[in-house]
Amino acid sequence: MVRSLKNPKKAKRKNKGGKKGEGSSNEVPSLPAKVWQPGVDKLEEGEELQCDPSAYNSLHAFHIGWPCLSFDVLRDSLGLVRTEFPHTVYCVAGTQAEKSSWNSIGIFKLSNISGKRRDMVPDKKGDETDMDSDSSDSDEEEEEAGSGTPVLQLRKVFHEGCVNRIRAMTQNPHIVASWGDTGHVQVWDFSSHLNALAESESDLSHGASAVSNQSPLVKFGGHKDEGYAIDWSPLVPGRLVSGDCKNCIHLWEPTSGTTWNIDANPFVGHSASVEDLQWSPTEPSVFASCSVDGSIGIWDIRVGKSPATTIKAHKADVNVISWNRLASCMLASGSDDGTFSIRDLRLLKEGDAVVAHFEYHKHPITSVEWSPHEPSTVAVSSSDNQLTIWDLSLERDEEEEAEFKAKMKEEVNAPTDLPPQLLFVHQGQKDLKELHWHSQIPGMVISTAADGFNILMPSNIENALPANDA
């Protein structure tokens, strides 16, 4: 099931990764590169796409057994802003196993994540020099920082039923909440597993660890149906909201570090399933919700059980939302019709708060998340098997494009109908479900799909590069 990315140039999978503006084919190397547009261009018989490793500072694939619909990146103590390879990450993920009794929550550590450091624009060198040094200097230039294959260490805890959504508490990442398809929301303490992973080097085998039985701290059965929406407050440790497919949202208030008072009287304002929830990054009593009814609700837990504001957000189901933690007036939402929108909440009173609306994706949006390091950057995944990264601060500059083409001394055949804000397109995963930025490793994105996980660091995201490498 897992794909090896050790030698990406030799990959024979279709649609494996790709940077906007780049494509590769070894059949007609003499022709200028042409941009291949997903969903627009068709592959002829015998043609295939190959990964261009120059598009990434780092790219790795792995899996933990069964596919995972949801996962979360855990905050760790290895450094607040890490730029040097090799990297180490900690995550939790919930499985979607073939049989209900085979499901588990995986707590894992992926270490020795290697990658490249490179300049944003190639150095000014003569063509002859470039040709001559292609087999020697460039190999040294592209040498990975950190060598070998990433090491996956995994511990598994039995989970009753499939895991629809899983989220770790920001302030205490060993406390994890899971939404099961059994209709139960459970909260877990995984500190013992994380401590064992932190102390272990490589003695845990790849995905073969036994499943342990552990009782949750809380098992809440007050929802009338299963659900997908759940979020921990970034401001109040332990405060949680969970929403279900019957339109009910329940508030969890911590009474200690391991106990909660769960309000049996739900917040109700949507006419259909609550699909996602997000706490405000600046106001501890305010959260947002989105629903199959096409709306977004803004709620204040101090003023009753109805939304303070309801926004007709999309023409179809609103699947996901993300509240920008660096620019708290901005809320992103993704819909079943493939569109995603950005709203400036300061403009709600004036009517239309939409400041950006994109129709690039043609299939349902499955995940959207603002970058924790760049307030104008957002990542999106879709059922069209694409993960896209957008920089909303970008605008098309024809003079700059002409200057860049002259500097590169080649024709850049970029399509004119691509949105100028589209920074990067990643492909190669089947049935993408969820993505997260790593809050402590600038430029790193982790994504999960039916065929496993990818860790990627696009080479054209400036903050992915160490400052002293510029």
Side-chain angles (χ1 to χ4, degrees):
M1 184 179 291
V2 69
R3 288 184 300 273
S4 170
L5 298 176
K6 187 65 178 173
N7 296 303
K9 292 181 180 178
K10 297 180 181 178
K12 293 300 181 183
R13 297 266 183 176
K14 293 184 179 181
N15 303 342
K16 179 66 241 175
K19 177 183 179 183
K20 188 192 81 163
E22 297 202 5
S24 64
S25 172
N26 56 11
E27 294 185 13
V28 282
S30 60
L31 295 177
K34 178 182 181 297
V35 176
W36 188 85
Q37 297 184 74
V40 176
D41 298 328
K42 303 295 183 183
L43 284 175
E44 301 296 334
E45 186 176 352
E47 286 187 328
E48 59 187 21
L49 298 180
Q50 293 182 325
C51 171
D52 182 355
S54 68
Y56 300 86
N57 284 330
S58 183
L59 177 61
H60 299 280
F62 65 97
H63 69 88
I64 66 168
W66 294 107
C68 297
L69 180 66
S70 182
F71 76 103
D72 205 2
V73 181
L74 303 184
R75 186 176 292 272
D76 58 51
S77 58
L78 300 178
L80 291 178
V81 181
R82 309 204 291 272
T83 57
E84 295 294 328
F85 292 106
H87 286 301
T88 296
V89 301
Y90 290 84
C91 296
V92 289
T95 64
Q96 296 274 307
E98 184 178 339
K99 293 184 179 180
S100 180
S101 60
W102 293 352
N103 281 291
S104 64
I105 294 174
I107 306 103
F108 62 89
K109 169 186 176 183
L110 194 70
S111 56
N112 197 39
I113 300 169
S114 58
K116 304 183 182 77
R117 302 190 195 98
R118 50 177 76 249
D119 294 328
M120 293 298 293
V121 178
D123 293 334
K124 294 181 180 179
K125 296 180 180 178
D127 290 342
E128 295 80 12
T129 305
D130 286 344
M131 292 291 289
D132 292 339
S133 64
D134 188 55
S135 61
S136 56
D137 292 352
S138 64
D139 284 349
E140 294 178 11
E141 188 178 305
E142 295 183 5
E143 185 175 347
E144 290 191 345
S147 58
T149 305
V151 177
L152 174 66
Q153 296 160 259
L154 172 67
R155 295 173 72 92
K156 299 177 182 177
V157 173
F158 172 75
H159 187 277
E160 184 184 356
C162 295
V163 179
N164 292 344
R165 191 73 51 90
I166 191 164
R167 292 290 182 265
M169 191 192 303
T170 305
Q171 302 86 349
N172 300 303
H174 60 280
I175 302 297
V176 174
S178 65
W179 232 135
D181 67 356
T182 59
H184 295 100
V185 179
Q186 300 177 87
V187 176
W188 310 79
D189 184 348
F190 291 144
S191 54
S192 63
H193 301 285
L194 290 168
N195 290 337
L197 290 172
E199 295 168 2
S200 169
E201 291 299 325
S202 59
D203 61 339
L204 296 179
S205 59
H206 290 240
S209 60
V211 179
S212 62
N213 281 301
Q214 177 178 334
S215 298
L217 298 173
V218 180
K219 183 177 182 180
F220 177 59
H223 282 285
K224 297 178 180 178
D225 196 358
E226 66 175 308
Y228 295 85
I230 196 167
D231 195 41
W232 293 100
S233 168
L235 302 176
V236 182
R239 179 174 284 174
L240 181 74
V241 279
S242 56
D244 60 38
C245 295
K246 291 287 189 185
N247 81 347
C248 293
I249 301 169
H250 288 271
L251 174 66
W252 302 48
E253 288 285 16
T255 53
S256 72
T258 57
T259 57
W260 283 261
N261 179 25
I262 307 167
D263 192 344
N265 185 18
F267 293 80
V268 178
H270 291 292
S271 60
S273 172
V274 178
E275 295 293 281
D276 202 3
L277 290 162
Q278 285 271 287
W279 284 101
S280 165
T282 57
E283 299 179 75
S285 63
V286 175
F287 69 87
S289 62
C290 66
S291 171
V292 167
D293 65 16
S295 72
I296 293 174
I298 308 294
W299 311 70
D300 189 329
I301 63 175
R302 300 168 298 182
V303 291
K305 302 291 185 178
S306 299
T309 304
T310 299
I311 308 160
K312 182 57 182 175
H314 290 270
K315 297 177 181 178
D317 306 5
V318 188
N319 296 330
V320 285
I321 51 176
S322 178
W323 208 318
N324 194 326
R325 296 196 178 189
L326 299 179
S328 61
C329 59
M330 296 297 176
L331 185 72
S333 58
S335 174
D336 225 36
D337 60 11
T339 65
F340 69 98
S341 301
I342 312 298
R343 284 177 171 76
D344 186 337
L345 300 179
R346 296 171 298 183
L347 304 177
L348 285 178
K349 294 181 180 179
E350 301 174 16
D352 188 8
V354 176
V355 293
H357 180 75
F358 297 96
E359 300 180 354
Y360 171 83
H361 291 284
K362 306 305 179 186
H363 296 273
I365 304 298
T366 58
S367 189
V368 60
E369 187 170 286
W370 291 100
S371 166
H373 299 101
E374 293 293 332
S376 62
T377 301
V378 64
V380 179
S381 69
S382 168
S383 297
D384 61 10
N385 299 330
Q386 294 183 69
L387 186 160
T388 54
I389 299 176
W390 304 73
D391 185 344
L392 303 182
S393 67
L394 295 178
E395 294 181 0
R396 190 175 298 281
D397 187 323
E398 294 182 1
E399 291 184 7
E400 190 176 276
E401 287 181 7
E403 183 180 331
F404 179 76
K405 289 179 183 180
K407 182 181 294 186
M408 297 297 290
K409 296 182 179 180
E410 65 180 30
E411 183 69 24
V412 182
N413 298 303
T416 57
D417 58 345
L418 283 180
Q421 296 83 8
L422 180 56
L423 195 65
F424 196 88
V425 177
H426 170 72
Q427 297 177 85
Q429 289 179 277
K430 181 180 179 181
D431 199 13
L432 275 158
K433 289 300 184 184
E434 195 169 277
L435 65 86
H436 295 294
W437 297 88
H438 198 299
S439 64
Q440 295 166 268
I441 306 177
M444 176 180 281
V445 177
I446 307 175
S447 56
T448 185
D451 51 359
F453 291 86
N454 275 190
I455 290 184
L456 56 138
M457 298 179 72
S459 61
N460 66 341
I461 295 184
E462 290 186 47
N463 64 4
L465 298 176
N468 59 7
D469 264 23

